[in-house]
Amino acid sequence: MAETTHTEFTPDTAPDGEVTDLGDLDEKARLGAPAGAVDSSSAIDGFTEEGESLSSGDTGSEQLGLKKHSHGNAPVIPEASRGERRRSFDIADFPTLTGLEEDWRFTPLKRLRGLHTEALSASAPAVEVTGAGNVTVETVGRDDVRLGASATPEDRVSAAAWNAFGDATVITVPQETVADGEVMVSVRGTHAEASAQHILIDAKAFSKAVVVLDHQGSATLAQNVEIVVGDGAELTVVSVQEWDDDAVHVSSQQAKVGRDARYKHVVVSLGGDLVRLTPSSILTAPGAEVEMYGLYFADAGQHLEQRLLVDHAVPNCKSRVTYKGALQGADAHTVWVGDVLIRKAAEGTDTYETNRNLILTDGARSDSVPNLEIETGLIEGAGHASATGRFDDEHLFYLMARGIPEKAARRLVVRGFLTEVIQQIKVPALEERLSESVERELAAGNL
Amino acid sequence: MSTLEIKDLHVSIDTEQGNVPILKGVTLTINTGETHAIMGPNGSGKSTLASTIAGHPRYTVDSGSITLDGEDVLSMSVDERARAGLFLAMQYPVEVPGVTMTNFLRTAKTALDGEAPSLRHWTKDVKTAMAQLRIDADFAQRNVNEGFSGGEKKRVEILQLELFRPKFAILDETDSGLDVDALKVVSEGVNREHSKGEMGTLLITHYTRILRYIKPDFVHVFVAGRIAEQGGPELADQLEAEGYDRFTAQTPVEA
Ligand SMILES: Nc1ncnc2c1ncn2[C@@H]1O[C@H](COP(=O)(O)OP(=O)(O)OP(=O)(O)O)[C@@H](O)[C@H]1O
Ligand SMILES: [Mg+2]
């Protein structure tokens, strides 16, 4: 492991002397120690792994045992629990960003092009919805009562977007309706002025649909995507970021998941100067299952960040998170933070999250921080894994020594690595397009 | 019949202390059907010779030549050498992230043959070869060498040897890190392929024990970057009895 600093800790705000955390990875992150940061200069060959797997059987005393600790002099403002993060529609509730906040510490604020400081008053990228005929699509005003009913901003940019958007797009999959095709939501930006956008996807009880948000063009966009997965509904939301090189996109994608519902969220971030997604799944009733996938491929200079939250607030839900990233070129930077919160009431929870990164060239940096917070020992299982590998000259030599030409060798590695996530989309045309995009990325990197 | 010919090969590497010569005039000819053992103490340059034949970019050829049936090997890229029929079983096979064994083997076979193998036969060939080398079937779904033990990595190298069927196989200390059973299994793999009569073998080793299973036609003693003595299989027995002292004393190692 490139960074093996282990920062053990005593939770200073644990209620009633109870420990709210297992493992130390989450603490490293919270305390701002250099957890999981791997850059190409320090990464070692192949994959480095860290992770742990917990189950109800071993969440006993040894897991809960407190250890004395010391930690680095991190400037980051710690947060007591992910569950206590401020939520508000009022931008004034979020102090002006300094970059020291736990949830902004990896984001280069200077490159947000004013999303965190400006009025976001320019026209938002055009939204066009095609596909399924039995799904309702509306453009509504800010005063529509459905907006903001299911998701509350969790950060300053999200709150700013909430206060600035003009019309909103509402996509409703009616109750017990199976969408008769994919719902393609094309979001096309045409300029770089800061703007705000709100999209609501409402999958009613026992409905079934796949909704693809396809972001392209040029934009400086603060966006809230509010997602409701009704009881027994089955919803897949795919958010594709294939922006032009100059785009800046900060998007909060919060889903409220109902009883026995199945929710799948897939992030594909390829294009844009800075893309920061905060997808979350709030499990609100028992029996729900959530899968969250992500694929990102950062080129020279790109910053691609994803911060996830799975909030297990109720019993007997299941979640799986799998994010994979590839990086190539000078100053390519990716960030993955996976917060999984198992609240006191969430007995019987079964969760596992994993993030893997592949560094293809020198000069790229990947940060990977899994955070698992567990407030009850009565769970099925909880685990996380984070691994960052580096493709270097020795790997290349090995493959070429078996007759595989250089370009094919690199493609083989990257394709093999990323395919797992692309296959999750299950929209053949889109899968094909994204595979081609990945190939183009490789070609563009002169690999 | 093919011939791999190495003539007066001088090779150096660039280090922080500057350019260091390692091979100092190696001459060696291997024909199809022959097994040559190269034996020598640690640091004598055995892996350097193997890696130079395969085209590892770390090594600079200062003079001399390597030809395969008269074709200039040194002007070929690493992958071209493999496609020309050279195979290096590495001393330390690397773990390749993100690529499953199945995918890797098929891709390599396709590159080597210039066409995809017939899927049905290929799957069967892979399964059979894996079983013969006592490699668990579930290795096929694992990433190349990822998390394999030292011995497992060596078996997987020989698996590739059997599947890719090279004209010349260079085995760099394939025996090191193997217990007796694994040594037998791996040696049988090499012998199976060799017995088809279409391969020449360059067997690099530090110890003589693998020579009980793989019989060399020629033995070359490698010391300080050159061949200090050569002979038949009896030379190996002599080395087993006497060790390398005689040679290292005769030929002081230059830094
Ligand atoms: N990358 C390198 N940097 C510095 N020195 C090197 C490097 N590679 C090889 N050498 C040196 O070159 C010499 C020959 O090394 P080589 O690996 O070819 O020996 P070997 O005969 O294969 O040894 P062993 O039996 O230990 O495998 C040694 O002195 C070694 O230290
Ligand atoms: Mg060696």
Side-chain angles (χ1 to χ4, degrees):
Chain A
M1 197 54 214
E3 300 281 355
T4 48
T5 323
H6 272 251
T7 311
E8 290 166 357
F9 92 121
T10 310
D12 30 28
T13 50
D16 314 312
E18 256 176 23
V19 183
T20 52
D21 291 273
L22 295 177
D24 50 32
L25 284 172
D26 45 345
E27 297 326 312
K28 283 189 284 188
R30 185 167 306 145
L31 297 169
V38 174
D39 61 36
S40 51
S41 57
S42 59
I44 57 167
D45 285 356
F47 268 99
T48 56
E49 290 263 3
E50 66 179 274
E52 64 188 292
S53 197
L54 311 172
S55 68
S56 53
D58 60 22
T59 48
S61 54
E62 76 271 51
Q63 293 282 358
L64 297 171
L66 294 183
K67 290 178 187 158
K68 285 282 164 221
H69 76 294
S70 64
H71 61 77
N73 43 352
V76 172
I77 305 155
E79 194 173 50
S81 161
R82 179 63 178 84
E84 285 165 25
R85 188 170 294 174
R86 182 178 293 280
R87 295 166 165 243
S88 171
F89 290 101
D90 186 355
I91 191 166
D93 284 334
F94 300 97
T96 308
L97 298 184
T98 62
L100 296 181
E101 299 78 6
E102 159 54 32
D103 61 332
W104 290 95
R105 67 193 174 108
F106 290 116
T107 315
L109 299 183
K110 278 198 222 104
R111 283 163 59 188
L112 280 178
R113 284 212 303 235
L115 281 183
H116 60 312
T117 51
E118 282 173 23
L120 313 182
S121 50
S123 61
V127 176
E128 193 194 338
V129 185
T130 54
N134 55 353
V135 163
T136 313
V137 180
E138 302 160 79
T139 303
V140 303
R142 296 185 48 84
D143 54 349
D144 191 292
V145 292
R146 292 169 295 178
L147 304 180
S150 309
T152 308
E154 275 207 315
D155 65 55
R156 187 174 168 94
V157 173
S158 174
W162 168 260
N163 285 287
F165 75 88
D167 292 339
T169 303
V170 178
I171 297 162
T172 309
V173 191
Q175 186 157 339
E176 289 172 39
T177 298
V178 177
D180 55 17
E182 290 88 45
V183 183
M184 296 296 297
V185 184
S186 151
V187 180
R188 291 286 178 286
T190 52
H191 62 78
E193 306 295 313
S195 66
Q197 184 169 68
H198 196 99
I199 295 172
L200 168 62
I201 301 168
D202 190 357
K204 298 291 188 192
F206 303 103
S207 67
K208 193 172 168 182
V210 176
V211 179
V212 178
L213 304 168
D214 185 10
H215 300 96
Q216 293 188 36
S218 176
T220 299
L221 176 64
Q223 183 188 51
N224 286 312
V225 180
E226 192 176 349
I227 300 158
V228 185
V229 191
D231 291 348
E234 222 179 297
L235 177 69
T236 296
V237 173
V238 183
S239 185
V240 177
Q241 289 64 242
E242 279 206 272
W243 295 107
D244 291 349
D245 289 345
D246 66 331
V248 176
H249 182 202
V250 175
S251 179
S252 159
Q253 308 195 349
Q254 286 191 44
K256 217 170 110 178
V257 185
R259 178 179 293 269
D260 297 330
R262 300 282 174 272
Y263 174 55
K264 179 147 97 177
H265 185 263
V266 185
V267 164
V268 179
S269 288
L270 300 174
D273 176 63
L274 188 159
V275 176
R276 184 186 195 271
L277 260 57
T278 48
S280 58
S281 299
I282 317 296
L283 298 154
T284 63
E289 276 185 36
V290 167
E291 291 171 88
M292 298 173 85
Y293 293 94
L295 175 168
Y296 44 97
F297 195 151
D299 289 319
Q302 266 188 314
H303 177 93
L304 302 179
E305 178 167 351
Q306 26 267 310
R307 292 177 161 269
L308 288 87
L309 169 65
V310 183
D311 189 345
H312 282 272
V314 293
N316 301 321
C317 291
K318 179 176 170 181
S319 61
R320 289 291 180 269
V321 175
T322 305
Y323 267 64
K324 287 185 150 189
L327 299 85
Q328 66 182 6
D331 299 317
H333 188 194
T334 66
V335 177
W336 178 86
V337 179
D339 293 336
V340 175
L341 175 57
I342 304 174
R343 295 182 194 256
K344 187 124 189 112
E347 293 180 2
T349 291
D350 177 5
T351 178
Y352 200 89
E353 60 169 320
T354 158
N355 174 229
R356 291 183 153 238
N357 296 290
L358 181 61
I359 298 177
L360 295 165
T361 65
D362 284 342
R365 177 189 168 93
S366 159
D367 286 285
S368 175
V369 187
N371 290 327
L372 189 53
E373 255 186 273
I374 307 179
E375 295 175 359
T376 173
L378 302 172
I379 53 170
E380 269 298 300
H384 60 69
S386 162
T388 297
R390 181 172 153 64
F391 187 72
D392 66 13
D393 290 348
E394 293 301 325
H395 300 119
L396 187 60
F397 175 70
Y398 190 85
L399 296 174
M400 288 179 71
R402 298 329 183 210
I404 304 169
E406 174 165 0
K407 280 189 183 183
R410 289 190 187 272
R411 274 204 304 272
L412 177 69
V413 168
V414 176
R415 214 193 270 141
F417 183 72
L418 297 179
T419 306
E420 184 193 354
V421 173
I422 293 181
Q423 283 169 345
Q424 287 301 330
I425 296 172
K426 308 261 196 279
V427 180
L430 183 59
E431 285 183 17
E432 199 170 308
R433 188 187 107 195
L434 294 173
S435 296
E436 280 163 19
S437 301
V438 167
E439 302 284 325
R440 261 203 313 282
E441 292 274 333
L442 278 165
N446 260 329
L447 296 177
Chain B
M1 235 273 295
S2 286
T3 304
L4 178 65
E5 204 170 2
I6 301 162
K7 272 193 196 152
D8 197 24
L9 190 68
H10 287 75
V11 172
S12 61
I13 54 164
D14 283 321
T15 69
E16 278 157 21
Q17 286 76 43
N19 188 269
V20 182
I22 305 203
L23 298 189
K24 298 157 188 166
V26 177
T27 298
L28 184 66
T29 301
I30 310 168
N31 294 305
T32 301
E34 297 174 356
T35 297
H36 292 245
I38 288 193
M39 306 193 57
N42 292 131
S44 55
K46 305 182 297 293
S47 291
T48 302
L49 176 63
S51 299
T52 303
I53 297 170
H56 195 293
R58 190 194 304 135
Y59 303 94
T60 311
V61 175
D62 298 315
S63 63
S65 68
I66 304 177
T67 56
L68 173 58
D69 294 333
E71 297 283 328
D72 180 10
V73 170
L74 294 176
S75 68
M76 299 179 196
S77 62
V78 176
D79 52 314
E80 283 169 347
R81 295 178 196 208
R83 292 198 297 274
L86 299 178
F87 178 85
L88 169 61
M90 302 195 193
Q91 185 173 3
Y92 303 110
V94 295
E95 307 190 358
V96 186
V99 186
T100 61
M101 286 296 302
T102 303
N103 193 3
F104 162 67
L105 292 173
R106 193 174 356 94
T107 305
K109 185 67 175 172
T110 304
L112 289 165
D113 291 2
E115 58 176 359
S118 128
L119 203 59
R120 204 156 42 86
H121 288 125
W122 176 245
T123 310
K124 193 173 134 268
D125 290 351
V126 172
K127 272 193 185 148
T128 310
M130 284 179 72
Q132 280 172 332
L133 288 162
R134 305 211 201 123
I135 299 169
D136 262 10
D138 64 3
F139 274 60
Q141 288 318 311
R142 290 172 63 179
N143 287 336
V144 177
N145 292 325
E146 206 175 281
F148 296 8
S149 73
E152 288 163 350
K153 285 180 184 168
K154 296 299 176 72
R155 287 179 214 220
V156 164
E157 293 293 286
I158 302 307
L159 172 70
Q160 295 172 52
L161 171 84
E162 290 200 73
L163 291 171
F164 299 160
R165 316 219 39 220
K167 287 184 180 146
F168 289 97
I170 299 137
L171 311 177
D172 190 1
E173 300 213 20
T174 298
D175 52 334
S176 66
L178 296 182
D179 60 28
V180 178
D181 288 341
L183 184 63
K184 264 192 211 161
V185 165
V186 158
S187 302
E188 280 163 17
V190 176
N191 290 336
R192 258 195 307 276
E193 191 53 37
H194 195 85
S195 67
K196 290 175 184 154
E198 290 166 20
M199 182 176 82
T201 304
L202 184 62
L203 180 74
I204 294 174
T205 183
H206 184 89
Y207 303 104
T208 52
R209 62 174 192 150
I210 195 174
L211 304 181
R212 282 176 223 148
Y213 304 101
I214 301 176
K215 292 291 172 207
D217 303 300
F218 305 95
V219 174
H220 311 266
V221 183
F222 213 73
V223 179
R226 52 169 82 90
I227 292 171
E229 188 164 333
Q230 39 199 345
E234 72 288 347
L235 186 52
D237 300 332
Q238 196 186 328
L239 281 174
E240 170 138 42
E242 299 170 12
Y244 294 111
D245 290 356
R246 176 161 69 88
F247 300 101
T248 44
Q250 250 176 23
T251 319
V253 179
E254 300 155 43

